[in-house]
């Protein structure tokens, strides 16, 4: 039986609790949406001011060299590498997740087309994040491939001789279900299939070992668990075994081996550098670095392993409290109970009112979000989604969040009209 007091005791014993001091969180808010937009690192405001007034204002164009602007995508890539089982020089921070997916999926299809031209299919999960599916759909149209969407339990059976690429998101945005990256990659490789892993809900949330899993390509998001700010640059990793072959189609001058030679022909940079396209958003990269540093600050305290232990304790507590205190209100659990199959979020289902309940919670300062069932196809229910980021969420926060949820359900306040109006962004 959990009580407010046992939750407070867990906070008192939490060696990661001081990491919260790195963030500017608004008063009176319990923020359970760091899986959608991470919170503001306190260091970011001063860093932006420095980049703008000193590096840009005073340094002007000299800052590409003197302030290290030119190297930022690689330098930040090396920091991200530490979180995802990559080595220095294997990752760049650049562009958006969607655009990076276009690059790596193109590269994977190019390799497959050389090695196995008869393979004309991309397999993914039906409940993958839509932009991933849309990008794949666009590429299929461009190249005459087909996109096959399957349920998670049918992935193994879909790995057939006509498949070129298996494209999956490691942790599902809607349910928080996590794939066994190493096992799935092994099965794909055994069937002659390349893998593309989206780490949008993994990087900074769960330990990832891309090299250990022998994955082929990976991308991920900078503004979720990496706290890089709205629209922060994303990242790209490619297994070095593809190093001399991973041509990508957005062959802009920043991916050139020698951009300032200004030659008329394109010579790709060696290694991951060729995944850059054009001039990079330096201010955004500077903010992303502040976000990355908040996660790397956990390294002396046990790093991703320690963060994962706390994350599982938080999600376990959330599930237990919902079951202990919100029974009889029609809530279901979409997130797997098994630790190995769960990311850092808890997703609840409800036949009715999921959107309004989330709105009522937000009005009380408990910020989670709502994700619609799959376009009314009826396969998935609407979801109330709660991201539990161990860097700045404590056990008492979980207690209060579930208590608010209980009160919203008990009082029926979610039925008020103001909680039933949809906005452009949910
Ligand atoms: C958040 C997320 C994205 C976001 O893509 P953007 O290009 O940044 O809009 C992509 N894929 C997945 C799986 C995500 O969770």
């Amino acid at each position: 039986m959990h009580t407010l007091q046992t939750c407070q005791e867990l906070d008192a014993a939490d060696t990661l609790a001081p990491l919260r001091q790195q963030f500017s969180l608004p008063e009176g808010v319990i923020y359970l949406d760091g899986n959608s937009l991470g919170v503001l690192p306190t260091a970011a405001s001063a860093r932006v001011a420095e980049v703008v007034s000193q590096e840009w204002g005073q340094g002007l164009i000299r800052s590409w060299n003197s302030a290290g602007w030119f190297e930022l995508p690689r330098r930040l890539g090396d920091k991200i590498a530490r979180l995802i089982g990559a080595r220095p020089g294997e990752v760049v921070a650049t562009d958006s997740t969607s655009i990076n997916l276009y690059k790596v999926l193109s590269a994977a299809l190019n390799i497959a087309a050389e090695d196995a031209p008869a393979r004309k299919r991309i397999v993914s999960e039906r409940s993958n994040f839509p932009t991933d599916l849309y990008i794949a759909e666009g590429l299929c149209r461009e190249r005459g491939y087909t996109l096959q969407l399957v349920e998670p339990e049918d992935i193994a059976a879909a790995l057939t001789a006509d498949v070129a690429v298996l494209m999956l998101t490691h942790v599902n945005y809607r349910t928080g279900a996590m794939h066994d990256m190493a096992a799935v990659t092994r099965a794909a490789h055994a069937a002659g299939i390349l893998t593309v892993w989206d780490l949008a809900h993994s990087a900074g949330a769960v330990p990832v070992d891309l090299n250990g899993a022998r994955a082929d390509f990976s991308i991920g998001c900078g503004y979720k668990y990496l706290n890089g700010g709205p629209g922060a640059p994303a990242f790209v990793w490619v297994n070095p075994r593809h190093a001399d072959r991973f041509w990508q189609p957005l062959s802009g001058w920043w991916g050139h081996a020698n951009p300032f030679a200004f030659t008329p022909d394109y010579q790709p940079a060696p290694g991951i550098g060729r995944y850059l396209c054009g001039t990079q958003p330096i201010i955004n990269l500077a903010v992303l670095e502040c976000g990355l540093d908040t996660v790397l600050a956990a390294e002396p305290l046990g790093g991703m392993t320690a963060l994962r232990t706390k994350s599982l304790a938080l999600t376990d507590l959330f599930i237990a409290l919902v079951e202990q205190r919100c029974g009889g209100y029609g809530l279901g659990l979409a997130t797997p109970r098994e630790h190995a199959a769960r990311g850092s979020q808890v997703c609840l289902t409800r036949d009715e009112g999921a959107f309004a309940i989330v709105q009522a919670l937000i009005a009380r300062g408990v910020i989670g979000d709502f994700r619609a069932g799959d376009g009314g196809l009826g396969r998935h229910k609407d979801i109330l989604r709660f991201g539990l980021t161990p860097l700045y969420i404590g056990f008492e926060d979980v207690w209060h969040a579930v208590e608010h949820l209980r009160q919203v359900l008990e009082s029926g306040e979610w039925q008020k009209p103001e909680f039933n109006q949809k906005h452009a962004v949910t």
Side-chain angles (χ1 to χ4, degrees):
M1 228 11 208
H2 297 284
T3 63
L4 175 57
Q5 197 194 331
T6 62
C7 293
Q8 288 166 338
E9 285 163 9
L10 288 169
D11 279 332
D14 174 17
T15 54
L16 300 180
L19 294 170
R20 183 186 183 121
Q21 289 157 17
Q22 304 180 96
F23 299 97
S24 304
L25 279 156
E27 274 303 310
V29 163
I30 299 175
Y31 192 68
L32 305 183
D33 219 352
N35 52 332
S36 202
L37 176 64
V39 300
L40 171 66
T42 308
S45 306
R47 180 69 186 121
V48 169
E50 185 185 25
V51 174
V52 170
S53 61
Q54 295 303 312
E55 297 181 5
W56 177 19
Q58 300 300 313
L60 290 167
I61 201 163
R62 294 168 289 191
S63 288
W64 285 107
N65 293 313
S66 60
W69 286 356
F70 189 71
E71 283 307 314
L72 263 186
R74 288 175 179 79
R75 202 159 59 71
L76 270 52
D78 286 350
K79 289 191 172 188
I80 294 167
R82 282 148 64 181
L83 303 171
I84 57 174
R87 287 175 289 253
E90 291 180 0
V91 179
V92 281
T94 186
D95 294 333
S96 67
T97 308
S98 302
I99 289 173
N100 288 333
L101 178 59
Y102 181 80
K103 297 179 211 167
V104 297
L105 196 50
S106 301
L109 292 179
N110 289 337
I111 292 175
E114 272 180 31
D115 292 352
R119 294 176 180 265
K120 295 276 187 199
R121 193 186 291 273
I122 299 170
V123 170
S124 191
E125 221 179 292
R126 190 180 308 282
S127 68
N128 199 346
F129 191 80
T131 200
D132 296 46
L133 301 182
Y134 302 160
I135 292 285
E137 195 184 312
L139 263 168
C140 284
R141 198 175 308 131
E142 198 175 293
R143 295 179 176 229
Y145 280 60
T146 52
L147 175 63
Q148 180 187 357
L149 301 182
V150 299
E151 300 301 320
E153 60 274 17
D154 299 327
I155 291 171
L159 302 178
T160 53
D162 58 347
V163 176
V165 175
L166 173 63
M167 175 189 83
L168 291 175
T169 297
H170 184 218
V171 175
N172 187 280
Y173 80 104
R174 197 201 298 269
T175 62
M178 181 165 74
H179 288 292
D180 180 340
M181 183 188 288
V184 174
T185 300
R186 219 177 299 120
H189 287 174
I193 297 165
L194 293 165
T195 55
V196 173
W197 287 99
D198 188 332
L199 301 181
H201 289 273
S202 310
V206 298
V208 176
D209 189 1
L210 286 170
N211 276 307
R214 296 184 50 77
D216 296 287
F217 296 88
S218 183
I219 52 165
C221 185
Y223 53 79
K224 291 172 179 159
Y225 293 94
L226 299 179
N227 305 314
F235 64 86
V236 195
W237 171 85
V238 179
N239 193 309
R241 76 171 167 272
H242 301 304
D244 52 345
R245 302 182 63 196
F246 57 111
W247 183 85
Q248 64 96 359
L250 302 181
S251 45
W253 71 306
W254 270 59
H256 193 279
N258 192 0
F260 288 91
F262 293 106
T263 58
D265 60 315
Y266 181 74
Q267 283 296 328
I272 195 69
R274 70 182 58 179
Y275 273 75
L276 301 175
C277 182
T279 307
Q280 302 297 308
I282 296 303
I283 300 169
N284 294 2
L285 283 166
V287 177
L288 172 61
E289 181 160 33
C290 297
L292 295 175
D293 288 344
T294 64
V295 188
L296 294 173
E299 281 183 342
L301 304 170
M304 283 311 306
T305 308
L307 287 171
R308 173 65 169 164
T309 302
K310 180 174 172 188
S311 155
L312 286 170
L314 289 169
T315 48
D316 276 344
L317 175 67
F318 193 98
I319 293 168
L321 281 173
V322 167
E323 291 178 344
Q324 183 185 313
R325 299 176 63 76
C326 302
Y329 292 117
L331 294 173
L333 179 67
T335 304
R337 285 174 198 276
E338 190 195 335
H339 282 177
R342 186 198 307 166
S344 196
Q345 68 190 50
V346 175
C347 300
L348 305 176
T349 58
R350 198 165 190 275
D351 286 338
E352 187 201 7
F355 174 81
I357 294 165
V358 169
Q359 294 306 307
L361 283 170
I362 292 173
R364 286 166 167 262
V366 179
I367 303 182
D369 62 24
F370 161 82
R371 286 294 175 262
D374 54 351
L377 293 178
R379 236 181 250 103
H380 303 284
K381 294 183 182 181
D382 286 351
I383 278 186
L384 303 86
R385 193 173 70 150
F386 303 97
L388 294 145
T389 50
L391 282 176
Y392 49 82
I393 294 299
F395 297 91
E396 187 176 344
D397 293 326
V398 174
W399 171 271
H400 292 305
V402 176
E403 178 56 17
H404 280 293
L405 176 60
R406 191 189 66 75
Q407 290 175 17
V408 163
L409 291 165
E410 190 183 74
S411 67
E413 74 192 48
W414 59 274
Q415 288 161 332
K416 290 185 192 168
E418 71 250 41
F419 297 137
N420 285 275
Q421 276 160 14
K422 294 224 167 136
H423 309 285
V425 175
T426 60

